[in-house]
Amino acid sequence: MTDTFGEYLKQIREAKGLSINQLASLAGISGSQISRIENGLRGVPKPATLRKIADATGASYDQLMGQAGYLPEQGISSNGSPVPDWATSKDKRDFRKMLEDDGELMFDGIPLNKEDKQRIKDVLTGLFWEAKQMNKRKKSDHHSDNPDQSV
């Protein structure tokens, strides 16, 4: 495993035989953005950008998301908390979709700093898994109340 996401991206790009400009063109993002990511001058890209990179390189989107710290690779969420045992692949897909919103997070028209964004992400992660679990309980309770109803 590489030390940084930038190194990981560079390995993928080089393994595909792509220059920075070729990857940029295929992904529809700037070459300078890719260069900054690879050189550690820019943070981890947003999930929507990772999707473009995955599509352009044929790399696994899940692996890119995991390497970037967005997606639980080994049952650990991006904020360090475990992914619930009951979480299905559909639940994990829903979680990835929630993270893919490409809009800038702002408060009173001012973009949030990295620490505030991470706090919001942590809270959203907890709320997401809690809501999923409550929904599963409600479905389970509903079916136990109506034993003749088929699933």
Side-chain angles (χ1 to χ4, degrees), residues 86 88 90-91 93-94 131-147 149-151:
W86 49 260
T88 65
K90 183 178 182 279
D91 295 333
R93 183 204 64 210
D94 290 348
K132 277 286 188 180
Q133 186 173 35
M134 287 173 46
N135 188 36
K136 287 182 185 298
R137 281 190 201 139
K138 285 180 185 177
K139 284 181 181 178
S140 176
D141 290 347
H142 175 72
H143 290 299
S144 64
D145 290 343
N146 299 314
Q149 190 175 22
S150 60
V151 178

Side-chain angles (χ1 to χ4, degrees), residues 7-56:
E7 291 170 0
Y8 180 72
L9 176 58
K10 185 175 182 176
Q11 284 179 356
I12 290 172
R13 180 181 57 77
E14 290 177 345
K16 298 292 179 178
L18 298 171
S19 69
I20 288 175
N21 288 333
Q22 287 171 324
L23 175 56
S25 177
L26 289 170
I29 55 180
S30 75
S32 62
Q33 182 179 6
I34 292 172
S35 178
R36 288 192 310 266
I37 293 167
E38 288 186 359
N39 292 311
L41 301 174
R42 184 188 183 284
V44 174
K46 293 179 180 180
T49 302
L50 293 177
R51 170 64 71 192
K52 293 176 183 178
I53 292 169
D55 291 345

Side-chain angles (χ1 to χ4, degrees), residues 41-151:
L41 301 174
R42 184 188 183 284
V44 174
K46 293 179 180 180
T49 302
L50 293 177
R51 170 64 71 192
K52 293 176 183 178
I53 292 169
D55 291 345
T57 61
S60 164
Y61 176 65
D62 285 347
Q63 286 181 322
L64 285 172
M65 289 286 285
Q67 186 71 29
Y70 287 112
L71 184 67
E73 278 190 282
Q74 307 261 332
I76 302 294
S77 69
S78 58
N79 66 357
S81 62
V83 172
D85 292 336
W86 49 260
T88 65
S89 59
K90 183 178 182 279
D91 295 333
K92 293 173 189 175
R93 183 204 64 210
D94 290 348
F95 184 66
R96 283 193 303 272
K97 281 185 175 185
M98 180 187 79
L99 292 176
E100 283 185 13
D101 181 13
D102 204 19
E104 183 70 35
L105 290 176
M106 296 189 169
F107 182 75
D108 280 345
I110 301 169
L112 297 177
N113 64 30
K114 187 176 181 177
E115 293 81 22
D116 288 339
K117 286 180 186 177
Q118 186 60 48
R119 274 191 233 131
I120 290 170
K121 185 178 166 187
D122 292 346
V123 169
L124 287 174
T125 298
L127 290 172
F128 177 88
W129 291 121
E130 184 179 320
K132 277 286 188 180
Q133 186 173 35
M134 287 173 46
N135 188 36
K136 287 182 185 298
R137 281 190 201 139
K138 285 180 185 177
K139 284 181 181 178
S140 176
D141 290 347
H142 175 72
H143 290 299
S144 64
D145 290 343
N146 299 314
D148 294 333
Q149 190 175 22
S150 60
V151 178

